[in-house]
Amino acid sequence: MPVSVAIVAQDEEKRIPHCLSTLAFAQEVLVVDSGSRDRTVEIARSHGCRVISEPWRGYARQKQFAVDNCENRWVLILDADEQVPVETGRSIRRITDSPDPRFSAYSLLRKNFFHDRWIRHCGWWPERVVRLVDRRRGRFNDRLVHEQWIADGEVGELDMAIEHRSFQSYSDLIKKMDTYSTLAALDMLRRGRRSGWWSPISHGTWMFFRTYLLELGVMEGFDGFMISVLNGGGSFLKYAKLREMLLFPSTPEDQ
């Protein structure tokens, strides 16, 4: 069976060329662009991609839109900052050429890089993500952040990796921490979660301790320390913002 690749993108002219150059195994690459102001669309079309412009719906809904608009039954879901090694692409082709009817989706390993270095600790490895899916047998959940594909059936495990190069600097980590903590707080608010005055402190402290010591962030040098600090900061902010939304419902994040 042919395989499609679904990518959602906005202002990704620096990273998407590296992603697209690794997708020769796919019969279709669909890029759903949400209003890029740079050369993202031009670059995607120059690589032979089909491009659809669609206003931003949120992570889960935007990715679901991309999957729904693919032509083929089997879809590999990627972010613009991810790449597919040659051997992984070959493995995906073997799977889709002779799919096992037991499985409606497959998870892959994801290697996360920071400062051009594979981070093996901090909870960044091993990381499993469900990315190769039969689009007729599953959907994304409705989470605002950390969205997941919910398969209608068993999920197989592939011991092949995709590579993730999202962050170039500590500033990138801080920006993601701020954005994701807001979305996570909104998600918890909608699910009726509460946050006491102690919640940001206890959750933030525990997250730093878990990342730096239990998940061996200490083995990654100063980068591991910074990742641990910002993981703890993200957890702290998530509960602090939730508490703010509960106490002051008119805050901008709650609109």
PDB file of all heavy atoms in Angstrom, residues 168-204:
ATOM      1  N   GLN A 168      16.905  25.015  19.448  1.00  0.00           N
ATOM      2  CA  GLN A 168      18.243  25.461  19.118  1.00  0.00           C
ATOM      3  C   GLN A 168      18.916  26.180  20.283  1.00  0.00           C
ATOM      4  O   GLN A 168      20.128  26.368  20.273  1.00  0.00           O
ATOM      5  CB  GLN A 168      18.199  26.400  17.902  1.00  0.00           C
ATOM      6  CG  GLN A 168      17.622  25.757  16.655  1.00  0.00           C
ATOM      7  CD  GLN A 168      18.417  24.563  16.181  1.00  0.00           C
ATOM      8  OE1 GLN A 168      19.645  24.606  16.140  1.00  0.00           O
ATOM      9  NE2 GLN A 168      17.725  23.483  15.835  1.00  0.00           N
ATOM     10  N   SER A 169      18.134  26.587  21.258  1.00  0.00           N
ATOM     11  CA  SER A 169      18.681  27.411  22.340  1.00  0.00           C
ATOM     12  C   SER A 169      17.808  27.280  23.577  1.00  0.00           C
ATOM     13  O   SER A 169      16.693  26.745  23.528  1.00  0.00           O
ATOM     14  CB  SER A 169      18.734  28.880  21.906  1.00  0.00           C
ATOM     15  OG  SER A 169      17.412  29.383  21.716  1.00  0.00           O
ATOM     16  N   TYR A 170      18.326  27.808  24.687  1.00  0.00           N
ATOM     17  CA  TYR A 170      17.523  27.840  25.916  1.00  0.00           C
ATOM     18  C   TYR A 170      16.302  28.732  25.718  1.00  0.00           C
ATOM     19  O   TYR A 170      15.242  28.485  26.309  1.00  0.00           O
ATOM     20  CB  TYR A 170      18.374  28.331  27.085  1.00  0.00           C
ATOM     21  CG  TYR A 170      19.570  27.450  27.373  1.00  0.00           C
ATOM     22  CD1 TYR A 170      20.830  28.010  27.593  1.00  0.00           C
ATOM     23  CD2 TYR A 170      19.446  26.057  27.411  1.00  0.00           C
ATOM     24  CE1 TYR A 170      21.932  27.200  27.854  1.00  0.00           C
ATOM     25  CE2 TYR A 170      20.539  25.252  27.669  1.00  0.00           C
ATOM     26  CZ  TYR A 170      21.781  25.829  27.885  1.00  0.00           C
ATOM     27  OH  TYR A 170      22.867  25.029  28.140  1.00  0.00           O
ATOM     28  N   SER A 171      16.427  29.758  24.906  1.00  0.00           N
ATOM     29  CA  SER A 171      15.271  30.622  24.628  1.00  0.00           C
ATOM     30  C   SER A 171      14.135  29.820  24.000  1.00  0.00           C
ATOM     31  O   SER A 171      12.957  30.032  24.313  1.00  0.00           O
ATOM     32  CB  SER A 171      15.674  31.772  23.704  1.00  0.00           C
ATOM     33  OG  SER A 171      16.560  32.658  24.343  1.00  0.00           O
ATOM     34  N   ASP A 172      14.470  28.881  23.095  1.00  0.00           N
ATOM     35  CA  ASP A 172      13.444  28.031  22.498  1.00  0.00           C
ATOM     36  C   ASP A 172      12.731  27.204  23.568  1.00  0.00           C
ATOM     37  O   ASP A 172      11.509  27.038  23.530  1.00  0.00           O
ATOM     38  CB  ASP A 172      14.067  27.093  21.464  1.00  0.00           C
ATOM     39  CG  ASP A 172      14.471  27.809  20.188  1.00  0.00           C
ATOM     40  OD1 ASP A 172      14.016  28.944  19.973  1.00  0.00           O
ATOM     41  OD2 ASP A 172      15.245  27.223  19.411  1.00  0.00           O
ATOM     42  N   LEU A 173      13.517  26.654  24.501  1.00  0.00           N
ATOM     43  CA  LEU A 173      12.917  25.874  25.582  1.00  0.00           C
ATOM     44  C   LEU A 173      11.989  26.728  26.441  1.00  0.00           C
ATOM     45  O   LEU A 173      10.907  26.284  26.840  1.00  0.00           O
ATOM     46  CB  LEU A 173      14.023  25.267  26.461  1.00  0.00           C
ATOM     47  CG  LEU A 173      14.825  24.108  25.878  1.00  0.00           C
ATOM     48  CD1 LEU A 173      15.984  23.770  26.794  1.00  0.00           C
ATOM     49  CD2 LEU A 173      13.950  22.882  25.671  1.00  0.00           C
ATOM     50  N   ILE A 174      12.400  27.966  26.708  1.00  0.00           N
ATOM     51  CA  ILE A 174      11.588  28.859  27.542  1.00  0.00           C
ATOM     52  C   ILE A 174      10.286  29.215  26.840  1.00  0.00           C
ATOM     53  O   ILE A 174       9.208  29.240  27.445  1.00  0.00           O
ATOM     54  CB  ILE A 174      12.389  30.123  27.912  1.00  0.00           C
ATOM     55  CG1 ILE A 174      13.544  29.753  28.847  1.00  0.00           C
ATOM     56  CG2 ILE A 174      11.485  31.168  28.556  1.00  0.00           C
ATOM     57  CD1 ILE A 174      14.545  30.870  29.062  1.00  0.00           C
ATOM     58  N   LYS A 175      10.366  29.483  25.527  1.00  0.00           N
ATOM     59  CA  LYS A 175       9.147  29.825  24.783  1.00  0.00           C
ATOM     60  C   LYS A 175       8.156  28.666  24.796  1.00  0.00           C
ATOM     61  O   LYS A 175       6.948  28.865  24.981  1.00  0.00           O
ATOM     62  CB  LYS A 175       9.512  30.186  23.339  1.00  0.00           C
ATOM     63  CG  LYS A 175      10.245  31.512  23.201  1.00  0.00           C
ATOM     64  CD  LYS A 175      10.705  31.726  21.756  1.00  0.00           C
ATOM     65  CE  LYS A 175      11.537  32.997  21.630  1.00  0.00           C
ATOM     66  NZ  LYS A 175      12.079  33.159  20.253  1.00  0.00           N
ATOM     67  N   LYS A 176       8.665  27.451  24.586  1.00  0.00           N
ATOM     68  CA  LYS A 176       7.776  26.299  24.608  1.00  0.00           C
ATOM     69  C   LYS A 176       7.194  26.091  26.004  1.00  0.00           C
ATOM     70  O   LYS A 176       6.012  25.753  26.147  1.00  0.00           O
ATOM     71  CB  LYS A 176       8.524  25.040  24.156  1.00  0.00           C
ATOM     72  CG  LYS A 176       7.617  23.820  24.114  1.00  0.00           C
ATOM     73  CD  LYS A 176       8.320  22.609  23.544  1.00  0.00           C
ATOM     74  CE  LYS A 176       7.378  21.410  23.519  1.00  0.00           C
ATOM     75  NZ  LYS A 176       8.012  20.196  22.943  1.00  0.00           N
ATOM     76  N   MET A 177       8.013  26.284  27.042  1.00  0.00           N
ATOM     77  CA  MET A 177       7.535  26.142  28.411  1.00  0.00           C
ATOM     78  C   MET A 177       6.363  27.073  28.676  1.00  0.00           C
ATOM     79  O   MET A 177       5.338  26.681  29.252  1.00  0.00           O
ATOM     80  CB  MET A 177       8.672  26.445  29.399  1.00  0.00           C
ATOM     81  CG  MET A 177       8.250  26.456  30.866  1.00  0.00           C
ATOM     82  SD  MET A 177       9.605  26.982  31.962  1.00  0.00           S
ATOM     83  CE  MET A 177       9.735  28.714  31.533  1.00  0.00           C
ATOM     84  N   ASP A 178       6.455  28.324  28.207  1.00  0.00           N
ATOM     85  CA  ASP A 178       5.392  29.295  28.433  1.00  0.00           C
ATOM     86  C   ASP A 178       4.127  28.919  27.650  1.00  0.00           C
ATOM     87  O   ASP A 178       3.020  28.910  28.190  1.00  0.00           O
ATOM     88  CB  ASP A 178       5.872  30.685  28.027  1.00  0.00           C
ATOM     89  CG  ASP A 178       4.863  31.772  28.361  1.00  0.00           C
ATOM     90  OD1 ASP A 178       4.214  31.679  29.424  1.00  0.00           O
ATOM     91  OD2 ASP A 178       4.709  32.702  27.554  1.00  0.00           O
ATOM     92  N   THR A 179       4.309  28.579  26.370  1.00  0.00           N
ATOM     93  CA  THR A 179       3.150  28.237  25.530  1.00  0.00           C
ATOM     94  C   THR A 179       2.450  26.981  26.019  1.00  0.00           C
ATOM     95  O   THR A 179       1.219  26.955  26.183  1.00  0.00           O
ATOM     96  CB  THR A 179       3.591  28.048  24.067  1.00  0.00           C
ATOM     97  OG1 THR A 179       4.176  29.255  23.587  1.00  0.00           O
ATOM     98  CG2 THR A 179       2.407  27.669  23.189  1.00  0.00           C
ATOM     99  N   TYR A 180       3.217  25.933  26.260  1.00  0.00           N
ATOM    100  CA  TYR A 180       2.620  24.655  26.648  1.00  0.00           C
ATOM    101  C   TYR A 180       2.005  24.710  28.041  1.00  0.00           C
ATOM    102  O   TYR A 180       1.008  24.043  28.303  1.00  0.00           O
ATOM    103  CB  TYR A 180       3.660  23.544  26.574  1.00  0.00           C
ATOM    104  CG  TYR A 180       3.802  22.936  25.201  1.00  0.00           C
ATOM    105  CD1 TYR A 180       3.736  23.723  24.054  1.00  0.00           C
ATOM    106  CD2 TYR A 180       4.004  21.575  25.030  1.00  0.00           C
ATOM    107  CE1 TYR A 180       3.859  23.173  22.787  1.00  0.00           C
ATOM    108  CE2 TYR A 180       4.126  21.012  23.765  1.00  0.00           C
ATOM    109  CZ  TYR A 180       4.056  21.818  22.654  1.00  0.00           C
ATOM    110  OH  TYR A 180       4.171  21.269  21.405  1.00  0.00           O
ATOM    111  N   SER A 181       2.593  25.474  28.946  1.00  0.00           N
ATOM    112  CA  SER A 181       2.019  25.562  30.293  1.00  0.00           C
ATOM    113  C   SER A 181       0.661  26.252  30.257  1.00  0.00           C
ATOM    114  O   SER A 181      -0.259  25.880  31.006  1.00  0.00           O
ATOM    115  CB  SER A 181       2.971  26.283  31.250  1.00  0.00           C
ATOM    116  OG  SER A 181       3.210  27.622  30.840  1.00  0.00           O
ATOM    117  N   THR A 182       0.495  27.243  29.374  1.00  0.00           N
ATOM    118  CA  THR A 182      -0.808  27.893  29.220  1.00  0.00           C
ATOM    119  C   THR A 182      -1.849  26.916  28.680  1.00  0.00           C
ATOM    120  O   THR A 182      -2.964  26.810  29.218  1.00  0.00           O
ATOM    121  CB  THR A 182      -0.706  29.105  28.278  1.00  0.00           C
ATOM    122  OG1 THR A 182       0.176  30.070  28.853  1.00  0.00           O
ATOM    123  CG2 THR A 182      -2.073  29.744  28.067  1.00  0.00           C
ATOM    124  N   LEU A 183      -1.490  26.191  27.632  1.00  0.00           N
ATOM    125  CA  LEU A 183      -2.427  25.229  27.051  1.00  0.00           C
ATOM    126  C   LEU A 183      -2.752  24.109  28.032  1.00  0.00           C
ATOM    127  O   LEU A 183      -3.906  23.660  28.123  1.00  0.00           O
ATOM    128  CB  LEU A 183      -1.846  24.652  25.761  1.00  0.00           C
ATOM    129  CG  LEU A 183      -1.694  25.640  24.602  1.00  0.00           C
ATOM    130  CD1 LEU A 183      -0.944  24.984  23.452  1.00  0.00           C
ATOM    131  CD2 LEU A 183      -3.056  26.140  24.133  1.00  0.00           C
ATOM    132  N   ALA A 184      -1.747  23.641  28.763  1.00  0.00           N
ATOM    133  CA  ALA A 184      -1.983  22.577  29.740  1.00  0.00           C
ATOM    134  C   ALA A 184      -2.905  23.052  30.860  1.00  0.00           C
ATOM    135  O   ALA A 184      -3.778  22.311  31.326  1.00  0.00           O
ATOM    136  CB  ALA A 184      -0.652  22.090  30.321  1.00  0.00           C
ATOM    137  N   ALA A 185      -2.721  24.309  31.292  1.00  0.00           N
ATOM    138  CA  ALA A 185      -3.598  24.860  32.333  1.00  0.00           C
ATOM    139  C   ALA A 185      -5.038  24.961  31.838  1.00  0.00           C
ATOM    140  O   ALA A 185      -5.993  24.624  32.549  1.00  0.00           O
ATOM    141  CB  ALA A 185      -3.084  26.225  32.767  1.00  0.00           C
ATOM    142  N   LEU A 186      -5.218  25.417  30.596  1.00  0.00           N
ATOM    143  CA  LEU A 186      -6.563  25.486  30.013  1.00  0.00           C
ATOM    144  C   LEU A 186      -7.185  24.101  29.906  1.00  0.00           C
ATOM    145  O   LEU A 186      -8.385  23.916  30.177  1.00  0.00           O
ATOM    146  CB  LEU A 186      -6.490  26.130  28.626  1.00  0.00           C
ATOM    147  CG  LEU A 186      -6.445  27.654  28.577  1.00  0.00           C
ATOM    148  CD1 LEU A 186      -6.105  28.125  27.171  1.00  0.00           C
ATOM    149  CD2 LEU A 186      -7.766  28.261  29.027  1.00  0.00           C
ATOM    150  N   ASP A 187      -6.372  23.126  29.531  1.00  0.00           N
ATOM    151  CA  ASP A 187      -6.864  21.759  29.409  1.00  0.00           C
ATOM    152  C   ASP A 187      -7.329  21.237  30.769  1.00  0.00           C
ATOM    153  O   ASP A 187      -8.396  20.603  30.867  1.00  0.00           O
ATOM    154  CB  ASP A 187      -5.754  20.880  28.841  1.00  0.00           C
ATOM    155  CG  ASP A 187      -6.273  19.594  28.240  1.00  0.00           C
ATOM    156  OD1 ASP A 187      -7.263  19.645  27.490  1.00  0.00           O
ATOM    157  OD2 ASP A 187      -5.691  18.528  28.514  1.00  0.00           O
ATOM    158  N   MET A 188      -6.547  21.482  31.805  1.00  0.00           N
ATOM    159  CA  MET A 188      -6.932  21.037  33.147  1.00  0.00           C
ATOM    160  C   MET A 188      -8.180  21.772  33.626  1.00  0.00           C
ATOM    161  O   MET A 188      -9.045  21.180  34.275  1.00  0.00           O
ATOM    162  CB  MET A 188      -5.771  21.247  34.125  1.00  0.00           C
ATOM    163  CG  MET A 188      -4.595  20.320  33.889  1.00  0.00           C
ATOM    164  SD  MET A 188      -3.414  20.286  35.276  1.00  0.00           S
ATOM    165  CE  MET A 188      -2.861  21.991  35.290  1.00  0.00           C
ATOM    166  N   LEU A 189      -8.273  23.061  33.304  1.00  0.00           N
ATOM    167  CA  LEU A 189      -9.448  23.842  33.689  1.00  0.00           C
ATOM    168  C   LEU A 189     -10.713  23.245  33.086  1.00  0.00           C
ATOM    169  O   LEU A 189     -11.738  23.100  33.760  1.00  0.00           O
ATOM    170  CB  LEU A 189      -9.273  25.289  33.245  1.00  0.00           C
ATOM    171  CG  LEU A 189     -10.405  26.265  33.593  1.00  0.00           C
ATOM    172  CD1 LEU A 189     -10.484  26.480  35.093  1.00  0.00           C
ATOM    173  CD2 LEU A 189     -10.208  27.595  32.862  1.00  0.00           C
ATOM    174  N   ARG A 190     -10.632  22.897  31.820  1.00  0.00           N
ATOM    175  CA  ARG A 190     -11.793  22.318  31.140  1.00  0.00           C
ATOM    176  C   ARG A 190     -12.168  20.960  31.699  1.00  0.00           C
ATOM    177  O   ARG A 190     -13.326  20.536  31.594  1.00  0.00           O
ATOM    178  CB  ARG A 190     -11.510  22.207  29.639  1.00  0.00           C
ATOM    179  CG  ARG A 190     -11.371  23.566  28.970  1.00  0.00           C
ATOM    180  CD  ARG A 190     -11.060  23.435  27.487  1.00  0.00           C
ATOM    181  NE  ARG A 190     -10.922  24.747  26.864  1.00  0.00           N
ATOM    182  CZ  ARG A 190     -10.702  24.935  25.572  1.00  0.00           C
ATOM    183  NH1 ARG A 190     -10.597  23.892  24.759  1.00  0.00           N
ATOM    184  NH2 ARG A 190     -10.573  26.158  25.087  1.00  0.00           N
ATOM    185  N   ARG A 191     -11.212  20.251  32.282  1.00  0.00           N
ATOM    186  CA  ARG A 191     -11.499  18.940  32.863  1.00  0.00           C
ATOM    187  C   ARG A 191     -11.817  19.011  34.351  1.00  0.00           C
ATOM    188  O   ARG A 191     -11.894  17.991  35.034  1.00  0.00           O
ATOM    189  CB  ARG A 191     -10.308  18.009  32.624  1.00  0.00           C
ATOM    190  CG  ARG A 191     -10.162  17.614  31.158  1.00  0.00           C
ATOM    191  CD  ARG A 191      -9.062  16.602  30.918  1.00  0.00           C
ATOM    192  NE  ARG A 191      -7.730  17.207  30.974  1.00  0.00           N
ATOM    193  CZ  ARG A 191      -6.772  16.833  31.819  1.00  0.00           C
ATOM    194  NH1 ARG A 191      -6.995  15.881  32.697  1.00  0.00           N
ATOM    195  NH2 ARG A 191      -5.600  17.423  31.794  1.00  0.00           N
ATOM    196  N   GLY A 192     -11.976  20.240  34.859  1.00  0.00           N
ATOM    197  CA  GLY A 192     -12.400  20.412  36.238  1.00  0.00           C
ATOM    198  C   GLY A 192     -11.321  20.230  37.275  1.00  0.00           C
ATOM    199  O   GLY A 192     -11.626  20.013  38.458  1.00  0.00           O
ATOM    200  N   ARG A 193     -10.059  20.340  36.884  1.00  0.00           N
ATOM    201  CA  ARG A 193      -8.966  20.192  37.854  1.00  0.00           C
ATOM    202  C   ARG A 193      -8.856  21.431  38.722  1.00  0.00           C
ATOM    203  O   ARG A 193      -9.249  22.534  38.333  1.00  0.00           O
ATOM    204  CB  ARG A 193      -7.648  19.952  37.110  1.00  0.00           C
ATOM    205  CG  ARG A 193      -7.604  18.646  36.326  1.00  0.00           C
ATOM    206  CD  ARG A 193      -7.436  17.451  37.242  1.00  0.00           C
ATOM    207  NE  ARG A 193      -6.181  17.535  37.981  1.00  0.00           N
ATOM    208  CZ  ARG A 193      -5.012  17.098  37.509  1.00  0.00           C
ATOM    209  NH1 ARG A 193      -4.949  16.581  36.283  1.00  0.00           N
ATOM    210  NH2 ARG A 193      -3.917  17.186  38.239  1.00  0.00           N
ATOM    211  N   ARG A 194      -8.271  21.266  39.902  1.00  0.00           N
ATOM    212  CA  ARG A 194      -8.098  22.360  40.850  1.00  0.00           C
ATOM    213  C   ARG A 194      -6.600  22.575  41.108  1.00  0.00           C
ATOM    214  O   ARG A 194      -5.765  21.721  40.791  1.00  0.00           O
ATOM    215  CB  ARG A 194      -8.803  22.064  42.177  1.00  0.00           C
ATOM    216  CG  ARG A 194     -10.222  21.555  42.039  1.00  0.00           C
ATOM    217  CD  ARG A 194     -11.139  22.573  41.417  1.00  0.00           C
ATOM    218  NE  ARG A 194     -11.323  23.745  42.264  1.00  0.00           N
ATOM    219  CZ  ARG A 194     -12.054  24.803  41.928  1.00  0.00           C
ATOM    220  NH1 ARG A 194     -12.643  24.820  40.734  1.00  0.00           N
ATOM    221  NH2 ARG A 194     -12.198  25.825  42.744  1.00  0.00           N
ATOM    222  N   SER A 195      -6.267  23.711  41.698  1.00  0.00           N
ATOM    223  CA  SER A 195      -4.875  24.014  42.031  1.00  0.00           C
ATOM    224  C   SER A 195      -4.834  24.849  43.302  1.00  0.00           C
ATOM    225  O   SER A 195      -5.302  25.992  43.314  1.00  0.00           O
ATOM    226  CB  SER A 195      -4.194  24.768  40.880  1.00  0.00           C
ATOM    227  OG  SER A 195      -2.856  25.104  41.208  1.00  0.00           O
ATOM    228  N   GLY A 196      -4.296  24.266  44.377  1.00  0.00           N
ATOM    229  CA  GLY A 196      -4.115  25.014  45.615  1.00  0.00           C
ATOM    230  C   GLY A 196      -2.866  25.871  45.559  1.00  0.00           C
ATOM    231  O   GLY A 196      -2.077  25.785  44.603  1.00  0.00           O
ATOM    232  N   TRP A 197      -2.638  26.664  46.576  1.00  0.00           N
ATOM    233  CA  TRP A 197      -1.464  27.535  46.563  1.00  0.00           C
ATOM    234  C   TRP A 197      -0.168  26.728  46.558  1.00  0.00           C
ATOM    235  O   TRP A 197       0.868  27.178  46.065  1.00  0.00           O
ATOM    236  CB  TRP A 197      -1.475  28.489  47.768  1.00  0.00           C
ATOM    237  CG  TRP A 197      -1.370  27.792  49.097  1.00  0.00           C
ATOM    238  CD1 TRP A 197      -2.368  27.421  49.938  1.00  0.00           C
ATOM    239  CD2 TRP A 197      -0.148  27.397  49.744  1.00  0.00           C
ATOM    240  NE1 TRP A 197      -1.875  26.805  51.061  1.00  0.00           N
ATOM    241  CE2 TRP A 197      -0.510  26.788  50.968  1.00  0.00           C
ATOM    242  CE3 TRP A 197       1.203  27.496  49.418  1.00  0.00           C
ATOM    243  CZ2 TRP A 197       0.432  26.272  51.862  1.00  0.00           C
ATOM    244  CZ3 TRP A 197       2.148  26.991  50.304  1.00  0.00           C
ATOM    245  CH2 TRP A 197       1.756  26.386  51.515  1.00  0.00           C
ATOM    246  N   TRP A 198      -0.219  25.514  47.114  1.00  0.00           N
ATOM    247  CA  TRP A 198       0.958  24.664  47.198  1.00  0.00           C
ATOM    248  C   TRP A 198       1.222  23.870  45.909  1.00  0.00           C
ATOM    249  O   TRP A 198       2.318  23.343  45.712  1.00  0.00           O
ATOM    250  CB  TRP A 198       0.770  23.654  48.340  1.00  0.00           C
ATOM    251  CG  TRP A 198      -0.414  22.750  48.102  1.00  0.00           C
ATOM    252  CD1 TRP A 198      -0.436  21.560  47.434  1.00  0.00           C
ATOM    253  CD2 TRP A 198      -1.764  23.018  48.478  1.00  0.00           C
ATOM    254  NE1 TRP A 198      -1.708  21.052  47.377  1.00  0.00           N
ATOM    255  CE2 TRP A 198      -2.552  21.927  48.017  1.00  0.00           C
ATOM    256  CE3 TRP A 198      -2.392  24.056  49.163  1.00  0.00           C
ATOM    257  CZ2 TRP A 198      -3.927  21.863  48.221  1.00  0.00           C
ATOM    258  CZ3 TRP A 198      -3.760  23.982  49.370  1.00  0.00           C
ATOM    259  CH2 TRP A 198      -4.519  22.900  48.901  1.00  0.00           C
ATOM    260  N   SER A 199       0.224  23.788  45.049  1.00  0.00           N
ATOM    261  CA  SER A 199       0.341  22.920  43.870  1.00  0.00           C
ATOM    262  C   SER A 199       1.489  23.308  42.942  1.00  0.00           C
ATOM    263  O   SER A 199       2.274  22.436  42.517  1.00  0.00           O
ATOM    264  CB  SER A 199      -0.976  22.905  43.087  1.00  0.00           C
ATOM    265  OG  SER A 199      -2.030  22.404  43.877  1.00  0.00           O
ATOM    266  N   PRO A 200       1.653  24.597  42.578  1.00  0.00           N
ATOM    267  CA  PRO A 200       2.784  24.944  41.706  1.00  0.00           C
ATOM    268  C   PRO A 200       4.132  24.573  42.325  1.00  0.00           C
ATOM    269  O   PRO A 200       5.018  24.056  41.620  1.00  0.00           O
ATOM    270  CB  PRO A 200       2.647  26.463  41.531  1.00  0.00           C
ATOM    271  CG  PRO A 200       1.204  26.751  41.810  1.00  0.00           C
ATOM    272  CD  PRO A 200       0.803  25.773  42.865  1.00  0.00           C
ATOM    273  N   ILE A 201       4.286  24.813  43.622  1.00  0.00           N
ATOM    274  CA  ILE A 201       5.562  24.552  44.293  1.00  0.00           C
ATOM    275  C   ILE A 201       5.851  23.053  44.327  1.00  0.00           C
ATOM    276  O   ILE A 201       6.951  22.599  43.972  1.00  0.00           O
ATOM    277  CB  ILE A 201       5.555  25.139  45.708  1.00  0.00           C
ATOM    278  CG1 ILE A 201       5.341  26.651  45.644  1.00  0.00           C
ATOM    279  CG2 ILE A 201       6.846  24.794  46.443  1.00  0.00           C
ATOM    280  CD1 ILE A 201       5.079  27.294  46.997  1.00  0.00           C
ATOM    281  N   SER A 202       4.863  22.263  44.756  1.00  0.00           N
ATOM    282  CA  SER A 202       5.088  20.821  44.903  1.00  0.00           C
ATOM    283  C   SER A 202       5.301  20.154  43.542  1.00  0.00           C
ATOM    284  O   SER A 202       6.211  19.332  43.373  1.00  0.00           O
ATOM    285  CB  SER A 202       3.908  20.173  45.635  1.00  0.00           C
ATOM    286  OG  SER A 202       2.694  20.355  44.929  1.00  0.00           O
ATOM    287  N   HIS A 203       4.495  20.501  42.557  1.00  0.00           N
ATOM    288  CA  HIS A 203       4.637  19.876  41.245  1.00  0.00           C
ATOM    289  C   HIS A 203       5.928  20.323  40.548  1.00  0.00           C
ATOM    290  O   HIS A 203       6.607  19.509  39.905  1.00  0.00           O
ATOM    291  CB  HIS A 203       3.431  20.208  40.368  1.00  0.00           C
ATOM    292  CG  HIS A 203       2.212  19.421  40.719  1.00  0.00           C
ATOM    293  ND1 HIS A 203       1.968  18.160  40.229  1.00  0.00           N
ATOM    294  CD2 HIS A 203       1.162  19.718  41.523  1.00  0.00           C
ATOM    295  CE1 HIS A 203       0.822  17.702  40.700  1.00  0.00           C
ATOM    296  NE2 HIS A 203       0.306  18.623  41.488  1.00  0.00           N
ATOM    297  N   GLY A 204       6.266  21.605  40.668  1.00  0.00           N
ATOM    298  CA  GLY A 204       7.493  22.092  40.054  1.00  0.00           C
ATOM    299  C   GLY A 204       8.733  21.459  40.658  1.00  0.00           C
ATOM    300  O   GLY A 204       9.663  21.056  39.947  1.00  0.00           O
TER     301      GLY A 204
END
